[in-house]
Amino acid sequence: MSTRTDGHTQAGASQSIDVDDPKVSRFDIVREGARRDDIEIVHYEAQFPVPGTKAERRLTRTLTGIFLLVGLFATAFVVAYIWWPWEYKPGSGAGKFYTPVLGLTLGLALLGVGFGILAWGKKLLPKEVSIQDRHIEPASDEERKITGNTLVYMADELGVRRRPLLGISLLAGLAPIGAVAAAPLVGGLIEQPHKNNQYFTTGWHPTDGKLIHLTHHDGTPVRPEDVSPGGQITVFPGIEGGATNKHADSPVLLIHLREGDASEARAANQRDGKPESMWNNYIAFSKICTHAGCPASLYEQQTNRLLCPCHQSQFLITDNARPIFGPASRRLPQLPLTVEEGFFAAKSDFTETVGPDFWERP
């Protein structure tokens, strides 16, 4: 026979007990269930045979502190996710710390959960070594009762009843973790997504009735002769900060199509209700991939395909930038073009949302 260090005695594998006997302890039922499942408990040792020792109280306080910190960091994540000012503004400001704060608080919260669970399992739960033979017989009512008592016994061995402070800290720490999982879903419903028409307004939106000119990275306006037939360049809105992250949704690929390709593109635009979007043989599309927002800028002159290097999406320029390969499922938005005083200008802003699909799109 082997003896538990907290006073329970293990019976031999051949000895059976009546699980309905009220004098039988829960551990005896667990042990009987193990025996019937051909499990031999070769070692079972409680971490703290005598409850309430200084070492146990010290460990309880340590785990309590860990889980309370988990709750604090998780709550900080939820607060920052919903209320932190995230909009980009030039210069220094709180918005620059939005993403780092989210990463730091969520990372520390999950790290705390991991440390807490590992410490709980290694320092508080009993040490047990068991050996089981596999069998496939169906379970009887008595065996199901044994299984139920085993689960309850395992819950008791967690020590939450005996250490209520630990249970409270666990709840306080893990409940905000659940809120972290819900925050991205709930946060998107708090504020009107079309506030200030933000999904349909980019740096190409006309200001005071004036069209926005297409410019190079250095701010110089773009002329038609700047792009040779079959060539392409990246252009930006000719406004303050047009080529900076302030207008990261505004980069456009301006393409000078060959005559035959331009005719095909005009026919596609006519079919899709955009007959006035091109200017002569020039066409312009957003560079922001509609899959994950990467810059789609690898243009194949011979095939008129625009490739996104991140996930290999391909868009056919002569068919209104229709996606023909890869994970992207929506066309690139087209920028309507005109020429004003010898320089390219945008007739209007994009008529479709730029970048990846948002939550409201079918």
Side-chain angles (χ1 to χ4, degrees):
M1 286 196 303
S2 61
T3 305
R4 294 180 69 217
T5 57
D6 57 359
H8 289 275
T9 302
Q10 284 188 202
S14 60
Q15 182 179 351
S16 180
I17 65 172
D18 181 6
V19 297
D20 294 317
D21 187 349
K23 296 180 180 180
V24 175
S25 69
R26 182 169 289 137
F27 177 77
D28 291 331
I29 295 178
V30 172
R31 183 184 58 202
E32 175 65 14
R35 185 193 65 79
R36 295 186 184 186
D37 279 340
D38 298 323
I39 298 175
E40 178 186 0
I41 303 178
V42 297
H43 179 76
Y44 194 100
E45 176 185 358
Q47 297 276 16
F48 298 99
V50 179
T53 62
K54 289 184 178 180
E56 182 183 10
R57 291 198 300 268
R58 182 169 57 252
L59 181 58
T60 299
R61 289 193 298 268
T62 300
L63 291 177
T64 298
I66 290 176
F67 287 119
L68 289 178
L69 285 175
V70 167
L72 178 64
F73 288 127
T75 301
F77 173 89
V78 174
V79 171
Y81 183 85
I82 296 177
W83 288 287
W84 192 281
W86 57 269
E87 294 88 349
Y88 175 84
K89 294 181 180 179
S92 59
K96 293 186 177 294
F97 298 99
Y98 178 71
T99 301
V101 166
L102 292 184
L104 182 64
T105 53
L106 181 59
L108 290 175
L110 296 180
L111 189 65
V113 170
F115 271 116
I117 291 177
L118 285 175
W120 193 321
K122 293 182 69 67
K123 301 296 184 180
L124 282 183
L125 295 183
K127 298 177 181 179
E128 178 182 328
V129 178
S130 301
I131 301 174
Q132 179 182 18
D133 295 329
R134 177 179 294 183
H135 57 85
I136 58 174
E137 292 83 3
S140 64
D141 291 340
E142 192 175 51
E143 288 174 334
R144 283 194 286 269
K145 179 176 181 179
I146 290 173
T147 301
N149 277 271
T150 300
L151 294 176
V152 175
Y153 182 79
M154 291 170 61
D156 288 345
E157 289 295 285
L158 288 175
V160 175
R161 288 186 180 180
R162 188 153 54 97
R163 311 175 185 100
L165 181 61
L166 195 57
I168 294 173
S169 68
L170 182 65
L171 179 62
L174 296 186
I177 291 292
V180 166
L185 301 176
V186 178
L189 303 175
I190 293 176
E191 188 171 347
Q192 166 59 258
H194 298 298
K195 180 181 179 181
N196 299 325
N197 204 26
Q198 58 184 327
Y199 281 119
F200 295 90
T201 303
T202 69
W204 299 105
H205 186 73
T207 56
D208 300 327
K210 296 181 179 180
L211 302 183
I212 305 299
H213 284 87
L214 281 61
T215 63
H216 296 281
H217 190 275
D218 59 4
T220 58
V222 179
R223 298 176 180 271
E225 53 268 26
D226 291 344
V227 191
S228 59
Q232 52 83 24
I233 61 172
T234 299
V235 296
F236 306 89
I239 57 177
E240 182 182 357
T244 68
N245 284 339
K246 181 179 181 180
H247 296 286
D249 57 355
S250 301
V252 162
L253 199 68
L254 176 64
I255 304 172
H256 188 177
L257 295 172
R258 296 185 178 89
E259 187 62 42
D261 297 330
S263 298
E264 187 178 345
R266 271 191 293 272
N269 274 2
Q270 188 75 30
R271 180 197 66 211
D272 294 336
K274 303 175 181 180
E276 304 297 330
S277 293
M278 293 178 62
W279 185 85
N280 288 351
N281 293 346
Y282 295 83
I283 194 168
F285 291 99
S286 168
K287 284 189 65 172
I288 311 302
C289 181
T290 54
H291 168 235
C294 298
S297 56
L298 301 180
Y299 179 58
E300 287 185 345
Q301 186 183 106
Q302 300 301 320
T303 62
N304 290 307
R305 294 186 179 189
L306 184 62
L307 283 69
C308 177
C310 292
H311 305 98
Q312 314 309 314
S313 292
Q314 298 183 19
F315 304 89
L316 185 58
I317 295 302
T318 53
D319 192 9
N320 201 12
R322 175 175 58 89
I324 58 175
F325 182 82
S329 60
R330 186 166 62 90
R331 303 173 187 268
L332 294 173
Q334 186 174 166
L335 185 70
L337 293 176
T338 187
V339 169
E340 189 177 67
E341 299 178 354
F343 300 102
F344 275 116
K347 286 184 177 180
S348 68
D349 206 337
F350 296 104
T351 57
E352 300 175 279
T353 54
V354 172
D357 291 347
F358 54 93
W359 64 274
E360 196 178 43
R361 179 171 294 279

